[in-house]
């Protein structure tokens, strides 16, 4: 059977926690804030905040107060303490009682005066009153307290480096309290700790530099250290004292002892201390930016009581050190920070002058790496990746990107010095990428800057073997025993890089802010240019419309008068004169066609789109019916491989779009059987189309329509110019003539629908016009 200590049995009896679930890997779930147990060096009273009636008491009241626990239940607190002292407690609660604790309380028991220190706090409708026997009848006034803290605070403030600060506080706390050993214990990002300063008796084995696994101090214990800044265990061999009744009558739940100074600690912790040979301990929280940075850990080899006044001094010194931590850590890297600032200012200047972000980032690769102390960097712009320095190959980085995207929540930076631990596939690239610092520039554009650091093989000195948290007994059952050995134990750690410093992470974040500022500034400049272009286009549109409209009248006059001359004077003119008049009429007719095309093109930009759902099967069928009636060439085959979709568009304009593309396919075709294919593609199944859409910066994948012919094709050198207005690649009368505006109008229609149009062609084999409508 599994064996449990007496304290563990009490824990099971007074909470709903199953001991079968308790071990050193899942003890994060142990409800240590509601043990229903206290340490025996004081008494706890739970009182209703309205009537001040005693609801719960600890079972040691007879030993300390001379009163049976049962006799105190449901009694008024004033019957125990007196009306005056209860009013003092109420006064504490009406003000900031943390500034007034402890209160001096006097009781008469067994014919003698008893003096206690009362610590008061409340939560919900419950007031907790904790009474500790006073170790001195002398009241400590402000001046006494000032003398105790003045010198230590001065010495703390005179330190310059983090090492000096930690060594000073360890020395000062040991001098004030008399503990055998005082250590400053710092947590890393994973929750493991290291002793970074120590003041101890000379005959004790030093713990300085030793590491301790995260499991030594569970998560919920770390959380309590952020609420209650000091925890004292005067005698680690104590037998915990229970409360009656087990559940608070107001809440019907175990009493929350998170803020209690007497709260009993986990039985695992007392066994842990016993295995270390520690008989008394005190811990003082060190917080940085409201997060637990570390602890001042005090150990004594024999039981040791510490007065509340001394504890208060130590707690205050701990808070002073907490305020100093940020400055000291900044001083520690001051020269390096200045170097990073210098690199950043030069780098930002380079980026701001570059035409494109990528060009700016890659112009000085050494600065980009030095900015965060990296040996390699990958710049990811959508599907395109640029590698600088020592990095995994492009395929490995592309494979990692989907995972990396999920690591950004509300943050825009992600860093780890053990990439293989969070992304196992990275283990193959440990030599160049054990550490990763990633900066999210744009989630939509999928733009990242990813820095890498190589593996640094380290030897870590642990305070005992961190990988042996529990034992199995002879029957194969779990034995809940903390680590027994705390002798120095060395481990070689692989797959880790040097950790990223906070100043390096800050440099990356500042780089992103600078990039965003530059992009916004350029966007403003571009918006201003677009505004000017829009105004110019409107003016050109208006000019083209007016000019075209006004030119038609004189052209019509020229045409008509030329016609009259032929009719009235055709007999008197020689053949050369008649030919010249016919040429004049033909040119004016062509000029009118050009003006009509220009007018139509202008109207396309001025008219509002009438967007509605349109079945392209019906639309294309209508276009083909008209073309079959109007075209003399009957040797045309129209293929539609699969039914076309319904899209939202302007029916009239898209009908003209298909008419122009299909007409061109028929017109510029010398084959005996002309074939026109009309269809659409799914981009994700077509790599070539995908690449084209990416080059066009299409973030979403639209439907791509096409019109394919087996005509004369287009030479590659003309592919860019065919969409220019009035651009013809052939003689005026060849292939049925025309103004050369058809493809320009088609392009305008597509662009008005927010799409793109492009062509692929093989000369003398045919052309395919692709377009999107969004």
């Amino acid at each position: 059977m599994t064996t449990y200590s007496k304290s563990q049995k009490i824990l099971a009896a007074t909470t709903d926690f199953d001991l079968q679930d308790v071990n050193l890997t899942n003890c994060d779930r142990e409800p240590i804030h509601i043990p229903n147990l206290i340490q025996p060096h004081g008494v706890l009273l739970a009182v209703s905040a309205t009537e001040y009636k005693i609801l719960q008491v600890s079972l040691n009241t007879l030993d300390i107060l001379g009163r049976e626990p049962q006799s105190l239940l449901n009694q008024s607190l004033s019957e125990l303490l007196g009306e005056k002292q209860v009013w003092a407690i109420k006064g504490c609660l009406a003000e900031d009682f943390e500034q007034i604790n402890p209160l001096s309380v006097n009781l008469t028991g067994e014919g003698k005066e008893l003096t206690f220190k009362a610590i008061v706090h409340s939560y919900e409708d419950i007031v907790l009153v904790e009474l500790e026997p006073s170790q001195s009848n002398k009241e400590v006034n402000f001046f006494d307290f000032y003398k105790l803290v003045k010198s230590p605070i001065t010495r703390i403030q005179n330190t310059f480096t983090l090492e000096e600060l930690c060594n000073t506080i360890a020395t000062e706390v040991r001098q004030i309290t008399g503990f055998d050993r005082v250590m400053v214990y710092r947590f890393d990002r994973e929750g493991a700790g290291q002793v970074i300063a120590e003041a101890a008796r000379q005959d004790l084995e030093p713990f300085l530099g030793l590491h301790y696994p995260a499991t030594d101090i569970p998560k919920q214990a770390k959380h309590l250290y952020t609420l209650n800044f000091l925890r004292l265990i005067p005698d680690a061999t104590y037998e915990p004292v229970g409360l009656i009744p087990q559940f608070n009558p107001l809440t019907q739940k175990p009493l929350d002892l998170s803020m209690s100074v007497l709260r009993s600690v986990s039985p695992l912790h007392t066994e842990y201390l016993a295995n270390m040979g520690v008989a008394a301990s005190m811990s003082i929280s060190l917080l940085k930016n409201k997060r637990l940075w570390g602890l001042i850990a005090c150990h004594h080899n024999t039981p040791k009581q510490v007065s509340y006044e001394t504890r208060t001094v130590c707690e205050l010194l701990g808070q002073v050190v907490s305020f100093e931590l940020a400055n000291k850590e900044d001083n520690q890297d001051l020269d390096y920070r200045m170097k990073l600032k210098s690199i950043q200012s030069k780098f930002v200047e380079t980026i701001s002058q570059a035409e494109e972000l990528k060009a700016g980032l890659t112009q000085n690769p050494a600065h980009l790496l030095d900015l965060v102390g990296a040996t390699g960097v990958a710049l990811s712009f959508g599907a395109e990746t640029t590698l600088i320095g020592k990095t995994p190959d492009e395929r490995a980085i592309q494979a990692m990107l989907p995972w990396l995207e999920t690591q950004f929540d509300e943050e825009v930076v992600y860093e780890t010095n053990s990439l293989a631990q969070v992304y196992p596939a990275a283990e193959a690239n440990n030599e160049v990428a054990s550490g990763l610092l990633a900066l999210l520039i744009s989630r939509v554009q999928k733009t990242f800057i990813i820095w890498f650091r190589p593996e640094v093989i380290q030897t870590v000195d642990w305070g005992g073997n961190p990988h042996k948290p529990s034992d199995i007994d002879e029957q194969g059952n779990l034995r809940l025993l903390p680590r027994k050995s705390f002798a120095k134990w060395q481990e070689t750690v692989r797959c880790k890089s040097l950790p990223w410093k906070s100043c390096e992470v800050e440099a990356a974040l500042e780089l992103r802010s600078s990039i965003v500022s530059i992009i916004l500034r350029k966007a403003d400049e571009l918006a201003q240019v677009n505004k000017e272009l829009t105004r110019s286009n409107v003016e050109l549109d208006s000019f083209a419309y007016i000019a075209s409209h006004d030119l038609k009248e004189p052209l019509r006059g020229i045409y008509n008068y030329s016609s009259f001359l032929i009719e009235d004077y055709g007999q008197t003119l020689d053949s050369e004169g008649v030919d010249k008049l016919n040429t004049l009429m033909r040119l004016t007719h062509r000029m009118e066609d050009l003006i009509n095309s220009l007018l139509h093109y202008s109207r396309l930009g001025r008219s509002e789109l009438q967007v509605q759902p349109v079945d392209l099967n019906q639309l294309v069928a209508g276009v083909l019916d008209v073309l079959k009636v109007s075209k003399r060439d009957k040797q045309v085959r129209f293929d539609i491989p699969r039914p076309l979709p319904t899209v939202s568009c302007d029916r009239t304009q898209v009908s003209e779009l298909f008419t122009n593309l299909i007409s061109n396919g028929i017109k510029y075709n010398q084959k005996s059987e002309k074939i026109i294919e009309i269809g659409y593609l799914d981009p994700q199944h077509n790599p070539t189309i995908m690449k084209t859409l990416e080059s066009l910066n299409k973030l979403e994948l639209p439907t791509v329509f096409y019109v394919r012919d087996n005509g004369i094709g287009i030479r590659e050198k003309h592919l860019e110019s065919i969409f220019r207005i009035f651009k013809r690649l052939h003689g005026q009368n060849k292939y049925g003539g025309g103004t050369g505006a058809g493809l320009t109008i088609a392009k305008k229609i597509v662009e008005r629908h927010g799409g793109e149009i492009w062509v692929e062609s093989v000369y003398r084999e045919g052309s395919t016009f692709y377009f999107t409508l969004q």
Side-chain angles (χ1 to χ4, degrees):
M1 293 180 62
T2 305
T3 57
Y4 302 108
S5 69
K6 182 177 179 181
S7 58
Q8 287 173 310
K9 292 175 183 176
I10 295 173
L11 172 67
T14 54
T15 70
D16 57 359
F17 196 68
D18 186 354
L19 281 177
Q20 294 292 342
D21 293 333
V22 181
N23 58 51
L24 292 183
T25 57
N26 67 16
C27 60
D28 284 340
R29 296 189 289 108
E30 184 185 355
I32 60 175
H33 65 299
I34 51 170
N36 260 5
L37 302 167
I38 66 167
Q39 298 181 60
H41 61 277
V43 168
L44 184 140
L45 308 170
V47 181
S48 67
T50 53
E51 300 174 346
Y52 275 75
K53 184 172 67 174
I54 299 174
L55 304 175
Q56 288 176 281
V57 297
S58 55
L59 291 169
N60 61 344
T61 57
L62 181 61
D63 296 332
I64 295 178
L65 304 181
R67 300 281 296 272
E68 289 285 352
Q70 293 289 352
S71 68
L72 294 173
L73 288 176
N74 297 316
Q75 298 297 314
S76 172
L77 184 61
S78 59
E79 292 187 21
L80 176 66
L81 302 183
E83 199 70 39
K84 184 178 179 181
Q85 295 186 132
V86 171
W87 275 109
I89 291 172
K90 289 180 180 180
C92 286
L93 296 175
E95 302 177 40
D96 185 357
F97 59 84
E98 286 297 333
Q99 305 300 327
I100 300 174
N101 276 329
L103 290 171
S104 287
V105 171
N106 297 313
L107 295 177
T108 301
E110 298 180 353
K112 61 180 180 179
E113 190 82 8
L114 302 175
T115 304
F116 295 90
K117 296 298 184 184
I119 300 98
V120 183
H121 75 272
S122 67
Y123 76 96
E124 296 179 354
D125 294 325
I126 301 168
V127 176
L128 291 190
V129 180
E130 299 177 88
L131 303 176
E132 292 185 29
S134 180
Q135 295 179 342
S136 171
N137 292 325
K138 182 183 177 183
E139 288 290 333
V140 178
N141 60 32
F142 169 78
F143 296 102
D144 295 327
F145 186 81
Y146 178 72
K147 289 176 184 177
L148 284 172
V149 300
K150 181 183 177 182
S151 295
I153 289 177
T154 300
R155 282 189 280 271
I156 288 168
Q157 291 177 332
N158 286 338
T159 61
F160 184 74
T161 65
L162 181 64
E163 183 180 3
E164 287 178 17
L165 175 68
C166 294
N167 284 330
T168 299
I169 189 61
T171 301
E172 293 298 328
V173 170
R174 181 165 186 260
Q175 186 173 339
I176 292 167
T177 61
F179 274 95
D180 291 336
R181 186 196 307 270
V182 177
M183 302 165 286
V184 176
Y185 184 85
R186 182 180 185 177
F187 296 111
D188 63 20
R189 290 185 178 91
E190 286 74 36
Q194 181 186 9
V195 178
I196 61 172
E198 182 181 42
R201 280 185 5 218
Q202 291 185 352
D203 60 315
L204 295 178
E205 179 186 353
F207 285 178
L208 184 64
L210 294 184
H211 292 72
Y212 293 84
T215 51
D216 278 13
I217 304 178
K219 291 178 182 177
Q220 77 275 35
K222 291 186 176 83
H223 173 67
L224 289 178
Y225 279 124
T226 65
L227 302 177
N228 209 337
F229 299 153
L230 188 140
R231 165 62 53 195
L232 173 67
I233 305 174
D235 185 353
T237 63
Y238 74 88
E239 284 295 332
V241 176
L243 305 179
I244 60 166
Q246 289 186 12
F247 296 100
N248 187 274
L250 293 183
T251 64
Q252 299 302 316
K253 296 177 182 178
L255 194 62
D256 188 337
L257 299 178
S258 297
M259 300 298 295
S260 167
V261 297
L262 294 174
R263 174 178 55 82
S264 182
V265 298
S266 166
L268 293 174
H269 184 60
T270 54
E271 291 184 50
Y272 179 91
L273 292 176
N275 291 344
M276 289 186 77
V278 174
S281 75
M282 185 173 76
S283 301
I284 306 162
S285 304
L286 296 176
L287 278 72
K288 179 185 175 186
N289 299 326
K290 297 183 179 180
R291 294 186 177 181
L292 188 64
W293 181 91
L295 296 171
I296 301 171
C298 309
H299 290 174
H300 209 66
N301 291 347
T302 58
K304 181 178 180 59
Q305 184 58 262
V306 180
S307 70
Y308 194 89
E309 290 80 8
T310 302
R311 282 180 265 163
T312 304
V313 169
C314 293
E315 184 178 339
L316 175 62
L317 293 179
Q319 292 186 39
V320 171
V321 170
S322 293
F323 287 130
E324 292 287 326
L325 284 174
N327 291 333
K328 296 302 183 287
E329 286 193 328
D330 288 346
N331 288 341
Q332 196 173 22
D333 296 317
L334 187 59
D335 291 341
Y336 187 46
R337 284 175 180 273
M338 296 297 292
K339 176 186 173 183
L340 295 186
K341 286 285 185 185
S342 175
I343 294 171
Q344 186 178 27
S345 61
K346 294 176 184 176
F347 199 55
V348 170
E349 185 180 355
T350 302
I351 297 172
S352 62
Q353 294 173 355
E355 290 294 324
E356 294 181 349
L357 176 60
K358 178 183 173 183
L361 289 171
T362 56
Q363 191 167 335
N364 195 327
H367 280 176
L368 184 58
L369 294 173
D370 292 344
L371 186 67
V372 296
T375 54
V377 63
L379 305 175
S380 177
F381 296 88
E384 186 180 350
T385 303
T386 301
L387 305 180
I388 298 171
K390 298 176 181 179
T391 70
D393 60 35
E394 185 173 346
R395 182 181 298 178
I397 289 173
Q398 286 293 335
M400 181 182 67
L401 286 178
W403 167 82
L404 183 60
E405 283 185 60
T406 64
Q407 304 309 302
F408 299 99
D409 190 9
E410 295 180 359
E411 302 291 332
V412 294
V413 66
Y414 174 78
E415 48 100 3
T416 176
N417 70 326
S418 183
L419 181 58
Q421 186 175 345
V422 292
Y423 179 65
E427 191 170 352
N429 295 297
N430 271 332
E431 291 185 1
V432 294
S434 284
L436 173 144
L437 173 60
L439 196 62
L440 173 62
I441 304 298
S442 170
R443 196 181 299 273
V444 175
Q445 301 276 356
K446 297 187 184 300
T447 304
F448 304 90
I449 302 176
I450 310 167
W451 289 278
F452 297 99
R453 277 182 176 170
E455 178 185 46
V456 176
I457 300 174
Q458 304 171 58
T459 300
V460 176
D461 293 332
W462 292 96
N465 187 343
H467 303 300
K468 191 179 180 183
S470 58
D471 290 330
I472 304 296
D473 63 18
E474 294 177 357
Q475 288 75 33
N477 294 318
L478 178 69
R479 297 178 65 212
L480 303 179
L481 296 176
R483 293 187 296 120
K484 291 185 176 181
S485 172
F486 293 88
K488 182 176 177 180
W489 188 88
Q490 290 190 329
E491 179 186 30
T492 300
V493 178
R494 305 188 68 95
C495 300
K496 282 194 173 186
S497 71
L498 293 176
W500 303 95
K501 295 184 177 181
S502 59
C503 57
E504 293 165 340
V505 177
E506 288 167 11
L509 286 170
E510 288 176 15
L511 173 63
R512 183 184 187 275
S513 297
S514 300
I515 289 172
V516 171
S517 298
I518 292 168
I519 291 172
L520 289 175
R521 190 181 73 242
K522 291 193 173 183
D524 285 341
E525 294 171 358
L526 189 60
Q528 186 61 35
V529 172
N530 284 338
K531 186 178 178 181
E532 292 297 319
L533 284 174
T534 301
R535 184 182 59 77
S536 299
N537 286 337
V538 169
E539 290 176 355
L540 282 172
D541 243 7
S542 180
F543 172 77
Y545 181 79
I546 294 169
S548 302
H549 186 272
D550 292 349
L551 282 172
K552 289 182 74 174
E553 187 177 347
L555 275 176
R556 199 174 294 115
I558 294 170
Y559 182 87
N560 290 337
Y561 273 100
S562 298
S563 178
F564 295 156
L565 283 172
I566 290 177
E567 290 177 6
D568 296 343
Y569 300 100
Q571 299 300 324
T572 57
L573 292 172
D574 59 15
S575 58
E576 186 178 352
V578 172
D579 285 344
K580 287 181 178 178
L581 284 174
N582 283 329
T583 300
L584 181 61
M585 290 174 64
R586 189 174 67 253
L587 289 175
T588 53
H589 184 70
R590 170 162 169 72
M591 187 66 178
E592 187 173 14
D593 286 345
L594 291 173
I595 289 172
N596 285 334
S597 296
L598 185 60
L599 268 173
H600 182 52
Y601 181 76
S602 177
R603 288 193 187 103
L604 281 175
R606 297 161 64 86
S607 61
E608 255 189 67
L609 291 178
Q610 303 297 319
V611 177
Q612 58 183 320
V614 175
D615 184 344
L616 292 185
N617 296 293
Q618 295 178 3
L619 184 143
V620 170
V623 169
L624 296 183
D625 287 342
V626 172
L627 289 174
K628 287 174 184 176
V629 171
S630 61
K631 298 294 179 182
R632 295 180 181 176
D633 195 339
K634 304 296 182 182
Q635 299 301 314
V636 182
R637 191 179 88 209
F638 298 104
D639 291 341
I640 302 177
R642 57 174 172 165
L644 300 171
T646 296
V647 298
S648 293
C649 64
D650 184 305
R651 186 182 189 90
T652 303
Q653 290 196 10
V654 173
S655 176
E656 183 175 2
L657 168 65
F658 276 103
T659 299
N660 287 356
L661 295 178
I662 295 170
S663 295
N664 280 356
I666 298 171
K667 182 177 178 181
Y668 298 101
N669 198 322
Q670 295 177 322
K671 299 287 195 318
S672 57
E673 183 184 28
K674 302 175 181 181
I675 302 173
I676 307 296
E677 183 179 317
I678 304 132
Y680 70 98
L681 302 171
D682 300 315
Q684 58 268 32
H685 299 140
N686 192 310
T688 304
I689 295 297
M690 278 286 288
K691 190 172 182 180
T692 302
L693 291 175
E694 286 169 0
S695 70
L696 296 172
N697 292 321
K698 286 292 180 182
L699 302 179
E700 296 182 5
L701 297 180
T703 302
V704 178
F705 299 95
Y706 67 87
V707 175
R708 181 176 293 128
D709 63 62
N710 64 337
I712 61 173
I714 305 166
R715 295 180 192 271
E716 187 175 353
K717 65 180 180 179
H718 296 308
L719 291 178
E720 292 296 324
S721 62
I722 59 172
F723 293 105
R724 293 210 309 261
I725 194 165
F726 305 142
K727 175 67 177 179
R728 284 183 54 81
L729 303 181
H730 311 285
Q732 177 59 42
N733 297 321
K734 201 170 182 182
Y735 298 109
T739 62
L743 287 178
T744 308
I745 289 170
K747 187 172 188 289
K748 185 78 167 181
I749 291 170
V750 168
E751 288 176 347
R752 290 220 61 200
H753 283 78
E756 301 280 350
I757 185 169
W758 68 96
V759 62
E760 292 179 2
S761 186
V762 178
Y763 185 57
R764 293 180 179 174
E765 290 185 16
S767 304
T768 303
F769 285 85
Y770 297 97
F771 62 91
T772 63
L773 292 174
Q774 61 173 5

